[in-house]
Amino acid sequence: MDCVFCQIIAGEIPTDIHYRDEEVIAFADINPVAPTHLLIIPRQHIPSLAHLPDDETPLIGHMVKIANQLARDEGISESGYRLVISSGQQGGQLIPHLHLHLIGGRQIEATLG
Amino acid sequence: MDCVFCQIIAGEIPTDIHYRDEEVIAFADINPVAPTHLLIIPRQHIPSLAHLPDDETPLIGHMVKIANQLARDEGISESGYRLVISSGQQGGQLIPHLHLHLIGGRQIEATLG
């Protein structure tokens, strides 16, 4: 198991966990780009969004639901936030385990990458 | 009805529609930031992601499923792509109707905004 996110899920790396349930966990990004920068990831090792079967997209709905809840917990739901999923090399994905970024707490640039 | 996306849904503005079903439509962004830049939006007028009730997050799963299908149609599923939802002022949301960006076809910067 050489996936760093799978190691976080397994509790093998000390991590600032903000949420966990049977399907997903959420934790602070180790290189935050904003005052709030959390990652929501599935426990299942799915290498990227492109690898997610069409019939498993409800998992993304659940990940977004948790992101919205965390945005409220963080007090940024009304001020504003951004969700980002990068898939594959040209998408700028760095860790090959599906993850959803939640960023907020400052003015996010209009640029999309 | 002063929402430009609702006007697109109603067919009142000529638009390059890539997909439509009972829940969502997808069309080319008028100010593309990459060779592929599509917007997937719900037909229902939801001002932002923060306004989406928790029990309606399956809609987001459907929007992401369509985004994945469009990424395959555009030939960028393997090369890579990024999905972005900006919510609210600090999130950089410009049009107050929930929308999911699909961007790809070039190297996307690691920056998240």
Side-chain angles (χ1 to χ4, degrees), chain B residues 23-63:
Chain B
E23 287 184 277
V24 306
I25 71 167
F27 54 93
D29 194 291
I30 196 169
N31 294 308
V33 301
T36 292
H37 187 171
L38 301 178
L39 300 178
I40 298 95
I41 71 171
R43 289 180 180 271
Q44 182 186 357
H45 181 76
I46 300 164
S48 79
L49 186 63
H51 290 81
L52 188 73
D54 278 353
D55 62 1
E56 290 188 29
T57 43
L59 173 63
I60 301 291
H62 182 64
M63 289 165 66

Side-chain angles (χ1 to χ4, degrees), chain A residues 5-72:
Chain A
F5 284 178
C6 285
Q7 290 171 351
I8 286 173
I9 291 163
E12 295 173 359
I13 299 174
T15 306
D16 181 14
I17 305 284
H18 285 238
Y19 176 85
R20 72 181 84 212
D21 64 24
E22 290 181 359
E23 288 184 278
V24 306
I25 72 166
F27 54 93
D29 194 292
I30 197 169
N31 293 309
V33 302
T36 293
H37 188 170
L38 302 177
L39 299 178
I40 298 94
I41 71 171
R43 288 180 180 271
Q44 182 185 357
H45 181 76
I46 300 165
S48 79
L49 185 63
H51 290 81
L52 188 73
D54 278 353
D55 62 2
E56 290 187 29
T57 43
L59 173 64
I60 300 290
H62 181 65
M63 290 166 64
V64 170
K65 175 181 169 180
I66 300 309
N68 277 348
Q69 291 176 356
L70 289 166
R72 293 195 291 270

Side-chain angles (χ1 to χ4, degrees), chain B residues 88-111:
Chain B
Q89 194 268 322
Q90 284 205 338
Q93 183 180 5
L94 298 178
I95 306 291
H97 182 127
L98 173 60
H99 53 286
L100 171 66
H101 296 268
L102 164 63
I103 59 177
R106 66 163 170 82
Q107 180 63 49
I108 307 297
E109 302 296 327
T111 178

